[in-house]
Amino acid sequence: EDRVATVIERTAHARGRALLTHAEAIRAYHAGEHAKSAKLLFDAVQAFASLKLDYERAVALADLARSLNGVPGREEQAQAQCDEAKAIAERLGATALRVAVENLTVRV
């Protein structure tokens, strides 16, 4: 992981940095750091959007919804992220991703 991170930083590869940010956010989520995870996932979503990587963006949006769901008072925002991820998945014809997003449980 460190070697990959070094190569990515050296080559300034934007997609790689976005993927590493996404991975770091998932680690924070599993550590129970939902607010930190949400911030990192928001950064990843923005990076994927600027790179026009819609599938990766939809996955990051679904993960962002999960993270926001763990932050008190952010449930409505979590639902909005789910809705956006589902819309992207439908537009791309990514059935498995759409079903996964539909199965997310958001507390509202």
Side-chain angles (χ1 to χ4, degrees):
E1 183 178 297
D2 292 333
R3 187 180 66 176
V4 170
T6 302
V7 169
I8 289 168
E9 287 302 316
R10 188 180 66 225
T11 60
H13 192 266
R15 183 173 188 249
R17 281 196 309 271
L19 290 168
L20 283 175
T21 301
H22 192 165
E24 185 179 345
I26 298 302
R27 276 192 292 262
Y29 175 79
H30 287 292
E33 300 173 2
H34 299 290
K36 178 181 178 181
S37 175
K39 182 204 172 298
L40 290 167
L41 284 163
F42 180 78
D43 292 343
V45 166
Q46 295 300 316
F48 291 136
S50 68
L51 294 168
K52 296 180 172 64
L53 297 170
D54 288 338
Y55 186 86
E56 290 84 348
R57 182 171 149 236
V59 171
L61 282 166
D63 290 336
L64 177 56
R66 280 190 200 98
S67 290
L68 289 172
N69 200 35
V71 179
R74 305 287 293 271
E75 294 84 7
E76 286 182 24
Q77 200 174 15
Q79 185 61 53
Q81 303 307 319
C82 273
D83 294 343
E84 187 175 353
K86 182 179 171 186
I88 292 169
E90 286 176 358
R91 183 173 41 97
L92 295 175
T95 305
L97 178 58
R98 182 183 48 80
V99 170
V101 172
E102 287 175 351
N103 289 328
L104 280 176
T105 304
V106 177
R107 295 175 297 155
V108 179

